[in-house]
Amino acid sequence: MSIEKFSLEKVLSVHRWTDTLFSFTMTRPAHFKFTAGQFARIGLKIGDELVVRAYSVVSSPFDETLEFFSIVVPEGKFTSNLQHLKVGDELYLEKIPYGYLTLARYQLPLPQDLWLLGTGTGLAPFLSMLQDFETWNNYKQINLVYSVRTQAELAYVERIQEIAESFGEGHSGFKFIPIITRDPEAALHDRLPVLIANGELEKAAAMQLNPETSHVMLCGNPDMVEDTKEALKARGLTMNRRGEGNIAVENYW
Ligand code: NAP
């Protein structure tokens, strides 16, 4: 990995949600331009080696700093080092962003209702999209669906409300739909494919998934992405290819 491809940035803040979930912000160099939904490649010097991992950007393309949301992977080389991050530490940032989980990829159907379905840290790209006024201008209805295992892992809830109030001011079509799969008391606690098949997700959103109008993005656990994709296809939705179709996906590990 050639070090010239990276700039060296400073950590500005660290927020710990649980023992294994944390967010951090860092300086954003002027050359680092990205579209909401894209990911950055972040490098850590571990011994003599530059170890690099992909992280979706949480912050808006218009923010002066960059924010990321991370899980600590047990015995993971990168995150077990990253979890000790503190303000003032330095991180390497690859100069260009990557990824196609962006709203610009959709041409047909035209934007009407947007379903953002994420698990765990797969919430990140959706937070970036929701901090872009274009998203709110383009879609009549936006359903943010966030599946986690436990209540404690439901990060960013207050921020989601703040974002909806500021970016979605005057917009009447936003729904935040949390799913807590290991809490039988939670209003929604089944996995996404089950909730799609039994109609509970649509009931919570008060609208139907529709091949003629829906844009559906999936991000997070690769098994969730696979299984949910199949559940959506069973409802007549199609993969988005060359701009056409409903479903766009990003696996997280
Ligand atoms: P997770 O196990 O991915 O669970 C998050 C949510 O996804 C839960 O609601 C879970 O439901 C649901 N889910 C899991 N499989 C699903 C499927 N097939 N269909 C629909 N929903 C599904 O939790 P996490 O905390 O985000 O990650 C947990 C593990 O993944 C950790 O052990 C971590 O090390 C690993 N991980 C690795 C990386 C990496 O870069 N290598 C990155 C992130 C996470 P249930 O409660 O029913 O399982």
Side-chain angles (χ1 to χ4, degrees):
M1 185 68 52
S2 150
I3 201 106
E4 293 79 48
K5 287 186 175 172
F6 293 80
S7 62
L8 199 53
E9 304 302 328
K10 258 203 166 59
V11 175
L12 300 171
S13 68
V14 181
H15 179 85
R16 296 182 198 283
W17 304 98
T18 67
D19 287 350
T20 55
L21 284 176
F22 64 100
S23 296
F24 58 96
T25 62
M26 65 187 204
T27 49
R28 176 181 181 179
H31 62 249
F32 189 80
K33 306 260 191 286
F34 67 98
T35 304
Q38 285 195 299
F39 60 87
R41 283 165 48 83
I42 296 179
L44 257 182
K45 266 279 175 72
I46 302 176
D48 286 340
E49 197 188 349
L50 184 63
V51 183
V52 180
R53 293 286 181 275
Y55 275 92
S56 290
V57 185
V58 168
S59 37
S60 146
F62 309 101
D63 279 345
E64 287 176 11
T65 59
L66 292 172
E67 179 170 349
F68 301 96
F69 182 24
S70 181
I71 188 166
V72 181
V73 180
E75 290 161 47
K77 194 177 188 178
F78 189 88
T79 61
S80 52
N81 278 276
L82 192 74
Q83 68 172 318
H84 304 298
L85 203 66
K86 34 184 205 333
V87 172
D89 284 355
E90 288 182 321
L91 288 173
Y92 290 85
L93 173 73
E94 198 171 327
K95 290 175 182 166
I96 52 167
Y98 292 89
Y100 301 99
L101 191 77
T102 62
L103 294 170
R105 65 176 289 148
Y106 284 108
Q107 288 161 26
L108 277 177
L110 293 172
Q112 282 195 57
D113 51 283
L114 176 64
W115 300 72
L116 304 171
L117 315 185
T119 57
T121 52
L123 174 74
F126 303 147
L127 293 178
S128 185
M129 291 173 199
L130 291 173
Q131 295 177 86
D132 186 339
F133 284 110
E134 213 180 320
T135 308
W136 298 88
N137 289 338
N138 284 351
Y139 290 91
K140 277 195 228 136
Q141 180 71 36
I142 302 172
N143 302 312
L144 175 64
V145 186
Y146 177 23
S147 174
V148 295
R149 298 178 298 188
T150 63
Q151 176 76 39
E153 291 173 355
L154 203 61
Y156 280 104
V157 173
E158 280 174 27
R159 270 284 288 287
I160 291 167
Q161 276 154 6
E162 284 164 19
I163 290 169
E165 278 161 26
S166 50
F167 287 83
E169 202 190 349
H171 193 291
S172 56
F174 176 73
K175 280 211 166 59
F176 173 49
I177 304 172
I179 302 167
I180 307 176
T181 42
R182 301 190 188 182
D183 179 355
E185 304 296 311
L188 290 181
H189 54 257
D190 283 315
R191 285 180 165 190
L192 274 161
V194 173
L195 296 172
I196 290 167
N198 68 14
E200 275 195 58
L201 184 67
E202 289 163 306
K203 200 167 146 201
M207 67 182 303
Q208 306 271 301
L209 286 157
N210 181 345
E212 304 301 321
T213 63
S214 301
H215 291 176
V216 188
M217 290 190 147
L218 310 177
C219 185
N221 186 313
D223 292 335
M224 175 285 286
V225 169
E226 199 46 44
D227 297 348
T228 307
K229 211 159 77 177
E230 294 310 315
L232 291 166
K233 285 186 188 165
R235 294 291 312 274
L237 277 73
T238 58
M239 295 303 292
N240 182 277
R241 297 198 205 287
R242 298 173 201 268
E244 288 189 30
N246 313 100
I247 311 165
V249 307
E250 189 115 280
N251 284 339
Y252 242 40
W253 62 92

